[in-house]
Amino acid sequence: MTTRETLDLLRRYESRNVTFLDPDGAWPIVWERAEGVQVWDAEGKQFLDLTAAFGVAAAGHANPAVVTAGQRQMAKLLHAMGDVHPHALKAQLARKLSELTFERWRHASGIARHGKTIFCNSGFEAVEAALKTALLATGRHGVIAFKGGYHGLGYGTLNATHRAHFRGPFDRQLRQFAEWVDFPAKPADLPVVELQIRRCFARGWVGAILVEPMQARGGINVPPPEFLPLLRRLADEHQALLILDEIYTGFGRTGKWFAGEHSGVAPDLICLGKALTGGFPLSACVGRADLMDAAWPASTGEAIHTSTFLGHPVGCAMALANLAEIERLNLVAQSAARGEFLLAELRRLHVPRLTAHARGVGLMAGLELLHPDGSPATDVVITAIKRLLQRGCLFLPEGEHSNVISFTPPLTISEAQLAEAVAELGRVLASGESP
């Protein structure tokens, strides 16, 4: 099918408010196939992917080991029975996630512990599993969340997703159990944040702090290194749980296995997804074993939290292969090195008539553009991203005002490819062309 044929079908048969179809025809492309860091559209045009498809393809699109694992599993066992009759891969993946999280952190802290997992399908479901765990463990339903935060669009997570664009239409059906505090940009912001958090705890109904160690959709926002240690201390002081939403930042994206490790902070619960499988819907909420055992009762034959596709065998097979590839290719360390190179390249860009701020950690970076009066340069960013698409580069805008051009490419990307993408971005911004 051609691009036009596919988009015509979507106009007719897909609900509105899903796929954005630009009236000028500049957006979207229709993906046909992808491999490594490249994507091809329905007409055969090749693109360099600076998105990793929302950060999913950490080990490269269609990584051969991951594809093979999925194909073999599909031929052997395509579906199992969630919480009823298990399969071996679910147990193996739960053990692997424990090893990557709480068992690694145990060795650093000297505290004897491991992790236990609740498998889910999408990232927001992992966060909702964490929110349920916090309520069961503490008896308190309130959650401290952060301005600019994005935790998904399910009815539970919408309470903690800050942007009114997502939450506003459904406010009347939400429980409104989140308390909003500022997400700090610099160390000088921390005293205000601490005061805000203490005021929330003083109300007596908060049982958890939910936070992205670095905000992705919020605009590639990187807090000061003292931020997570402050949250850890306040959570402990008030017998609350610290939940790290690492759906986007996990599995090497920021140059560490998990972004919280940049501050040396271990959470009580960690939410994982996106890059877990490299391309299959599977996510996980992993918590300290003692916490999970205290929160969740033993099953008596009818689980109080489950789903039909829980711990899907194909997803588990792909996740185990994908994690092995991340380790084999040393992609965590490569992300750190490539990220330093990328940030240096971005900071060298000259953007005429605009103020540009480059920030990021590892291969999660962004270029924020502002007009001379300080207002978000949303128009420039959207135009630039459309122009870049025409020139063979896939980018996404981030931030509440869509004025941050983000870089979250596959961790397998080369320095030469990053340099060319930044150079192409510079040429487009310098030209001031319309799409």
Side-chain angles (χ1 to χ4, degrees), residues 21-286:
L21 305 172
D22 198 316
D24 67 9
W27 193 278
I29 64 168
V30 172
W31 288 35
E32 179 68 21
R33 66 185 181 93
E35 182 179 345
V37 298
Q38 307 290 344
V39 171
W40 288 263
D41 71 5
E43 278 69 51
K45 183 177 179 180
Q46 183 174 326
F47 300 83
L48 178 64
D49 182 17
L50 282 305
T51 73
F54 305 118
V56 168
H61 288 287
N63 180 287
V66 178
V67 171
T68 298
Q71 291 171 331
R72 287 176 177 169
Q73 187 57 42
M74 290 181 73
K76 180 180 180 181
L77 179 66
L78 182 59
H79 177 62
M81 290 190 68
D83 60 315
V84 180
H85 298 297
H87 57 92
L89 292 175
K90 184 172 76 166
Q92 293 169 20
L93 182 56
R95 177 181 62 187
K96 181 64 176 178
L97 293 179
S98 174
E99 291 171 353
L100 285 175
T101 57
F102 291 93
E103 293 180 44
R104 286 178 59 247
W105 302 332
R106 175 194 68 196
H107 292 304
S109 66
I111 299 173
R113 59 188 176 193
H114 66 283
K116 287 194 172 183
T117 290
I118 297 172
F119 285 110
C120 311
N121 302 304
S122 184
F124 83 86
E125 294 175 10
V127 178
E128 291 186 347
L131 295 175
K132 285 185 174 182
T133 303
L135 175 59
L136 292 174
T138 69
R140 287 169 273 155
H141 69 281
V143 174
I144 293 171
F146 291 85
K147 296 175 183 178
Y150 181 91
H151 302 287
L153 304 183
Y155 266 119
T157 50
L158 264 180
N159 287 275
T161 290
H162 181 248
R163 198 182 305 178
H165 173 79
F166 299 121
R167 203 179 64 256
F170 311 103
D171 268 343
R172 290 175 294 171
Q173 291 184 332
L174 298 180
R175 182 66 175 84
Q176 302 291 350
F177 54 74
E179 297 268 9
W180 303 106
V181 302
D182 293 335
F183 191 83
K186 55 189 182 299
D189 298 333
L190 293 176
V192 172
V193 172
E194 179 174 357
L195 179 60
Q196 292 173 341
I197 292 174
R198 289 191 179 279
R199 286 174 176 167
C200 293
F201 276 123
R203 298 184 180 98
W205 57 284
V206 170
I209 300 173
L210 171 63
V211 65
E212 299 160 276
M214 301 170 191
Q215 292 182 341
R217 296 208 66 184
I220 316 297
N221 300 321
V222 181
E226 303 88 352
F227 176 52
L228 291 186
L230 171 65
L231 299 187
R232 178 73 276 175
R233 176 166 55 83
L234 291 172
D236 291 342
E237 182 181 330
H238 294 275
Q239 294 79 54
L241 302 185
L242 177 60
I243 305 170
L244 293 191
D245 179 348
E246 298 237 22
I247 302 296
Y248 217 130
T249 55
F251 303 113
R253 172 57 53 192
T254 68
K256 298 281 189 183
W257 268 103
F258 305 102
E261 295 171 10
H262 288 283
S263 299
V265 169
D268 299 297
L269 296 156
I270 185 169
C271 304
L272 305 171
K274 291 195 185 296
L276 173 59
T277 69
F280 192 92
L282 185 73
S283 62
C285 168
V286 188

Side-chain angles (χ1 to χ4, degrees), residues 280-331:
F280 192 92
L282 185 73
S283 62
C285 168
V286 188
R288 293 190 343 256
D290 61 318
L291 166 65
M292 300 297 275
D293 287 346
W296 294 94
S299 176
T300 57
E302 189 69 65
I304 61 174
H305 179 86
T306 186
S307 68
T308 299
F309 298 103
L310 185 149
H312 195 282
V314 178
C316 289
M318 292 174 65
L320 287 165
N322 187 55
L323 296 175
E325 282 294 276
I326 292 173
E327 291 176 320
R328 182 183 71 84
L329 297 171
N330 199 27
L331 293 182

